[in-house]
Amino acid sequence: DVFTITFSGLSKTWRVAGFRSGWIYVSGPTHRAKNYMEGLTLLMNMRMCANVPAQHAIQAALGGHQSIQDLIDPGGRLFEQRETAYRLLREIEGVKVHQADGALYLFPRLDPEIYPIENDEKFVIELLRQQKILVSHGRAFNWIDDNHFRLVTLPGVEDLEHAIAGIAEFLADYRDAALRA
């Protein structure tokens, strides 16, 4: 009896981030929302371009084996990526990080006594320029201070090892520059 719109997509539900492919399921008395549905259709036709490769992935994602267990158990890709990133970040002086329970990212905290960051957005831009490593600044996720960044753990273990080594090198240079100032 209730008009309902359900949104879903490949990125979060089936762990294929970046495909930018989602869908809407409408149920209930759709005749009550005819104008709304016409508006949605108009907007989708005007603004959205079909991601053809992702459309092929939808069928594979929705059919067949539907368990994430193989990915999150020890030895699984997501488990090993998360563990590697967590371990390597904790080895960097002045970096604290909580282990993710289910997220596909970590949110490390940089000790402000060691890394006096005045603007986390500039910090991540410098990291990108110098090391070619892209992370997000904490304030982009409504964190109140400048001492956090967000690292996605979806890249392969070797890529994460390389990236976190670059982050460690960048932080050492950042710390040394702060000490000289």
Side-chain angles (χ1 to χ4, degrees), residues 137-155:
H137 61 291
R139 286 184 302 119
F141 296 91
N142 296 317
W143 198 256
I144 58 173
D145 56 37
D146 291 295
N147 59 5
H148 284 75
F149 67 93
R150 183 179 191 245
L151 173 79
V152 175
T153 59
L154 285 173

Side-chain angles (χ1 to χ4, degrees), residues 7-23 68 71 78 102-105 141 150 152 154:
F7 298 91
S8 193
L10 293 178
S11 294
K12 302 294 186 222
T13 309
W14 282 275
R15 311 309 188 265
V16 282
F19 274 71
R20 304 291 185 243
S21 185
W23 52 89
I68 191 171
L71 295 172
L78 295 177
L104 301 174
Y105 61 88
F141 296 91
R150 183 179 191 245
V152 175
L154 285 173

Side-chain angles (χ1 to χ4, degrees), residues 30-42:
T30 57
H31 65 279
R32 292 185 184 165
K34 182 179 176 187
N35 289 341
Y36 180 79
M37 290 179 56
E38 286 175 2
L40 277 178
T41 302
L42 180 64

Side-chain angles (χ1 to χ4, degrees), residues 8-81:
S8 193
L10 293 178
S11 294
K12 302 294 186 222
T13 309
W14 282 275
R15 311 309 188 265
V16 282
F19 274 71
R20 304 291 185 243
S21 185
W23 52 89
I24 297 173
Y25 179 78
V26 180
S27 61
T30 57
H31 65 279
R32 292 185 184 165
K34 182 179 176 187
N35 289 341
Y36 180 79
M37 290 179 56
E38 286 175 2
L40 277 178
T41 302
L42 180 64
L43 284 172
M44 287 186 287
N45 289 331
M46 288 176 30
R47 296 282 186 190
M48 298 183 173
C49 298
N51 182 347
V52 175
Q55 289 177 350
H56 291 288
I58 292 170
Q59 177 59 40
L62 297 179
H65 184 64
Q66 294 292 321
S67 176
I68 191 171
Q69 216 53 49
D70 294 340
L71 295 172
I72 63 173
D73 283 343
R77 181 177 60 84
L78 295 177
F79 178 88
E80 297 304 327
Q81 291 163 192

Side-chain angles (χ1 to χ4, degrees), residues 60-147:
L62 297 179
H65 184 64
Q66 294 292 321
S67 176
I68 191 171
Q69 216 53 49
D70 294 340
L71 295 172
I72 63 173
D73 283 343
R77 181 177 60 84
L78 295 177
F79 178 88
E80 297 304 327
Q81 291 163 192
R82 183 192 71 190
E83 293 298 312
T84 298
Y86 177 70
R87 177 180 48 80
L88 293 174
L89 285 168
R90 288 187 51 169
E91 292 174 0
I92 302 172
E93 179 186 2
V95 175
K96 292 184 179 179
V97 61
H98 293 283
Q99 182 59 284
D101 290 326
L104 301 174
Y105 61 88
L106 295 172
F107 206 64
R109 178 186 184 272
L110 303 175
D111 184 336
E113 297 294 319
I114 297 173
Y115 309 107
I117 299 167
E118 294 180 20
N119 183 313
D120 62 348
E121 187 173 356
K122 288 181 182 176
F123 174 83
V124 300
I125 290 171
E126 280 306 307
L127 174 63
L128 179 60
R129 284 186 179 138
Q130 292 180 27
Q131 293 289 332
K132 309 298 185 253
I133 298 167
L134 179 62
V135 298
S136 299
H137 61 291
R139 286 184 302 119
F141 296 91
N142 296 317
W143 198 256
I144 58 173
D145 56 37
D146 291 295
N147 59 5

